[in-house]
Amino acid sequence: MSKAGALDLASGLGGKIEKKEVLSAVEQYEKYHNLYGGANEDRKSNYTDMVNKYYDLATSFYEFGWGESFHFAHRFNGESLRESIKRHEHFLGLQLGLKPGQKVLDVGCGIGGPLREISRFSLVSVTGLNNNEYQISRGKELNRIAGVDKTCDFVKADFMKMPIPDNSYDAVYAIEATCHAPDAYGCYSEIYRVLKPGQCFAAYEWCMTDAYNSENKEHNKIKAEIEIGDGLPDIRSTTQCIEALQKAGFEASHRPSLPSPPQTLLPLFSSVIWSKDLAKDSPIPWYLPLDKSHFSLSSFRLTAAGRFFTKNLVKALEYVGLAPKGSQRVQDFLEKAAEGLVDGGKKEIFTPMFFFLARKPHSGDH
């Protein structure tokens, strides 16, 4: 039940930003990033403003192109993009060992596509934590349409300081969301605090891989394109994520040598903690939907032809006044992101699916 029409796209552009302020918001957002002379520290210190502006500006484009779940997925041959996205979400539920009736937290939930899917798949109650007012209002509408508004809800909050009591949730997950945090340790510490002892946190993280070379200009250009196009302060390495988890108190280990699926998809006991870049074993590259050399009718809006159509649609809507001034600029930096993501994927210097499962010890474990 996501938005599909041109007028829906136009009406949502800018989110909660006043239409006359959209162009100014785009200019302010661009100034945060390296491609426009911005600095990492500025993005980190102003992350709330930067990420909110990003999602106000980009959410309608995301929903127009991706549907309700704004993430990539490990994908098998013969599997559609939609099917792989759902399986990617189910995989999280299985790894967390979710049981009917449990209370689960989705950190950085977008408009709630994954939380609705996981709630129905695992028969759990899911709370989506999000700091963007427009995405929450859209998510509530979609919950009502899907008939899950009794089991799924939202909390408007910063995941660096959650207004949630200690030991509140049976499980916590994040899908390509905590990469927006200015400090992984601070974010993971908050997740640790609200998670019940003995329970697990699972996530798909956006990371630079070991193949990334910070001295390589092309690598840095790709990294900067992804950062501006996706509202990120600074993309962390996989090692930095594991170190931040351990510092926060989780039991976590980095075992990149784990066997390939299906062996790694075996049921896990709470003491078996693991991490792996799932992009490495994906039979169909995760970035294929964005690759300009690829064409698909089922995900037409993500293809080169579909993006060209959207670009001209937005241009026309802006020209006649149905879309706010600055909408084309948003389309431009999202296009930059798509190019950076494809290049980063092809060179294997970036992954959007570094998966980890981390357990909060029982109080008597240490």
Side-chain angles (χ1 to χ4, degrees), residues 5 58 61 72 89 91 104 182 189 193 233 261 286 289 292 345 356:
F61 283 103
F72 294 100
E89 294 164 357
F91 178 76
V104 181
S189 293
R193 182 182 64 77
W286 60 266
K292 286 185 175 179
F356 60 73

Short mmCIF file of all heavy atoms in Angstrom, two decimals, residues 5 58 61 72 89 91 104 182 189 193 233 261 286 289 292 345 356:
data_model
loop_
_atom_site.label_atom_id
_atom_site.label_comp_id
_atom_site.label_asym_id
_atom_site.label_seq_id
_atom_site.Cartn_x
_atom_site.Cartn_y
_atom_site.Cartn_z
N GLY A 5 1.72 7.02 -7.16
CA GLY A 5 1.48 7.99 -8.21
C GLY A 5 2.35 9.23 -8.14
O GLY A 5 2.96 9.53 -7.12
N ALA A 58 14.10 13.07 1.38
CA ALA A 58 14.28 11.86 0.57
C ALA A 58 13.19 10.80 0.71
O ALA A 58 13.08 9.93 -0.15
CB ALA A 58 15.63 11.22 0.91
N PHE A 61 10.89 9.98 -2.25
CA PHE A 61 11.64 9.33 -3.34
C PHE A 61 11.87 7.86 -3.02
O PHE A 61 11.75 6.99 -3.88
CB PHE A 61 12.99 10.03 -3.56
CG PHE A 61 12.90 11.33 -4.30
CD1 PHE A 61 12.99 12.54 -3.63
CD2 PHE A 61 12.73 11.35 -5.68
CE1 PHE A 61 12.93 13.75 -4.31
CE2 PHE A 61 12.66 12.55 -6.38
CZ PHE A 61 12.76 13.76 -5.69
N PHE A 72 18.55 -2.82 1.31
CA PHE A 72 19.02 -3.81 0.34
C PHE A 72 18.83 -5.21 0.92
O PHE A 72 18.36 -5.36 2.05
CB PHE A 72 20.49 -3.55 0.00
CG PHE A 72 20.72 -2.25 -0.72
CD1 PHE A 72 21.17 -1.13 -0.02
CD2 PHE A 72 20.48 -2.14 -2.08
CE1 PHE A 72 21.39 0.08 -0.67
CE2 PHE A 72 20.69 -0.93 -2.74
CZ PHE A 72 21.14 0.18 -2.03
N GLU A 89 14.30 -9.62 6.08
CA GLU A 89 13.63 -9.22 7.33
C GLU A 89 13.28 -10.44 8.18
O GLU A 89 13.47 -10.44 9.40
CB GLU A 89 12.38 -8.40 6.99
CG GLU A 89 12.72 -7.08 6.34
CD GLU A 89 11.57 -6.38 5.63
OE1 GLU A 89 10.45 -6.94 5.57
OE2 GLU A 89 11.77 -5.27 5.10
N PHE A 91 14.85 -13.25 8.19
CA PHE A 91 16.12 -13.76 8.69
C PHE A 91 16.47 -13.13 10.04
O PHE A 91 16.91 -13.81 10.97
CB PHE A 91 17.22 -13.47 7.66
CG PHE A 91 18.61 -13.90 8.07
CD1 PHE A 91 18.98 -15.23 8.03
CD2 PHE A 91 19.55 -12.96 8.49
CE1 PHE A 91 20.26 -15.62 8.40
CE2 PHE A 91 20.82 -13.34 8.86
CZ PHE A 91 21.18 -14.68 8.81
N VAL A 104 9.48 -6.03 20.91
CA VAL A 104 10.68 -5.84 20.10
C VAL A 104 10.81 -4.36 19.73
O VAL A 104 9.81 -3.67 19.51
CB VAL A 104 10.59 -6.70 18.81
CG1 VAL A 104 11.85 -6.53 17.96
CG2 VAL A 104 10.36 -8.16 19.17
N PRO A 182 26.21 9.39 15.08
CA PRO A 182 27.52 10.04 15.02
C PRO A 182 28.59 9.25 15.77
O PRO A 182 29.77 9.43 15.54
CB PRO A 182 27.25 11.39 15.72
CG PRO A 182 26.11 11.11 16.65
CD PRO A 182 25.25 10.12 15.93
N SER A 189 25.32 1.56 23.16
CA SER A 189 25.17 1.60 24.61
C SER A 189 23.71 1.83 25.00
O SER A 189 23.21 1.24 25.97
CB SER A 189 26.04 2.71 25.22
OG SER A 189 27.40 2.42 25.06
N ARG A 193 21.23 -0.74 26.98
CA ARG A 193 20.50 -0.32 28.19
C ARG A 193 19.03 -0.74 28.14
O ARG A 193 18.48 -1.21 29.14
CB ARG A 193 20.60 1.21 28.35
CG ARG A 193 19.92 1.75 29.59
CD ARG A 193 20.01 3.27 29.66
NE ARG A 193 19.31 3.96 28.58
CZ ARG A 193 17.99 4.12 28.53
NH1 ARG A 193 17.21 3.63 29.49
NH2 ARG A 193 17.44 4.77 27.51
N PRO A 233 26.95 10.61 8.62
CA PRO A 233 28.04 11.45 9.12
C PRO A 233 29.41 10.94 8.71
O PRO A 233 30.25 11.69 8.25
CB PRO A 233 27.86 11.40 10.65
CG PRO A 233 27.03 10.21 10.92
CD PRO A 233 26.20 9.96 9.71
N PRO A 261 26.27 -19.55 3.40
CA PRO A 261 24.93 -20.09 3.52
C PRO A 261 24.81 -21.36 2.66
O PRO A 261 25.47 -21.45 1.62
CB PRO A 261 24.04 -18.97 2.97
CG PRO A 261 24.85 -17.73 3.21
CD PRO A 261 26.27 -18.16 3.01
N TRP A 286 23.93 -7.25 -4.40
CA TRP A 286 22.94 -6.41 -3.71
C TRP A 286 22.67 -5.11 -4.44
O TRP A 286 21.58 -4.54 -4.35
CB TRP A 286 23.39 -6.12 -2.28
CG TRP A 286 24.71 -5.38 -2.20
CD1 TRP A 286 25.95 -5.93 -2.06
CD2 TRP A 286 24.90 -3.96 -2.27
NE1 TRP A 286 26.92 -4.95 -2.05
CE2 TRP A 286 26.31 -3.74 -2.17
CE3 TRP A 286 24.06 -2.86 -2.39
CZ2 TRP A 286 26.86 -2.45 -2.20
CZ3 TRP A 286 24.61 -1.58 -2.43
CH2 TRP A 286 25.99 -1.39 -2.34
N PRO A 289 19.90 -3.75 -8.44
CA PRO A 289 18.75 -2.90 -8.79
C PRO A 289 19.12 -1.47 -9.16
O PRO A 289 18.37 -0.80 -9.89
CB PRO A 289 17.91 -2.91 -7.50
CG PRO A 289 18.29 -4.17 -6.81
CD PRO A 289 19.74 -4.36 -7.12
N LYS A 292 23.06 0.76 -13.64
CA LYS A 292 22.46 1.29 -14.87
C LYS A 292 22.47 0.29 -16.02
O LYS A 292 21.72 0.43 -16.98
CB LYS A 292 23.17 2.58 -15.29
CG LYS A 292 22.81 3.76 -14.40
CD LYS A 292 23.42 5.04 -14.91
CE LYS A 292 22.94 6.23 -14.09
NZ LYS A 292 23.54 7.51 -14.54
N GLY A 345 29.99 -1.18 -4.30
CA GLY A 345 29.69 -2.61 -4.32
C GLY A 345 30.57 -3.37 -5.30
O GLY A 345 31.09 -4.44 -4.99
N PHE A 356 25.39 -8.64 12.28
CA PHE A 356 25.90 -9.17 13.54
C PHE A 356 24.75 -9.50 14.48
O PHE A 356 23.67 -8.92 14.41
CB PHE A 356 26.90 -8.22 14.22
CG PHE A 356 26.36 -6.85 14.56
CD1 PHE A 356 25.47 -6.65 15.61
CD2 PHE A 356 26.78 -5.74 13.82
CE1 PHE A 356 25.00 -5.39 15.91
CE2 PHE A 356 26.31 -4.47 14.13
CZ PHE A 356 25.42 -4.29 15.18
#
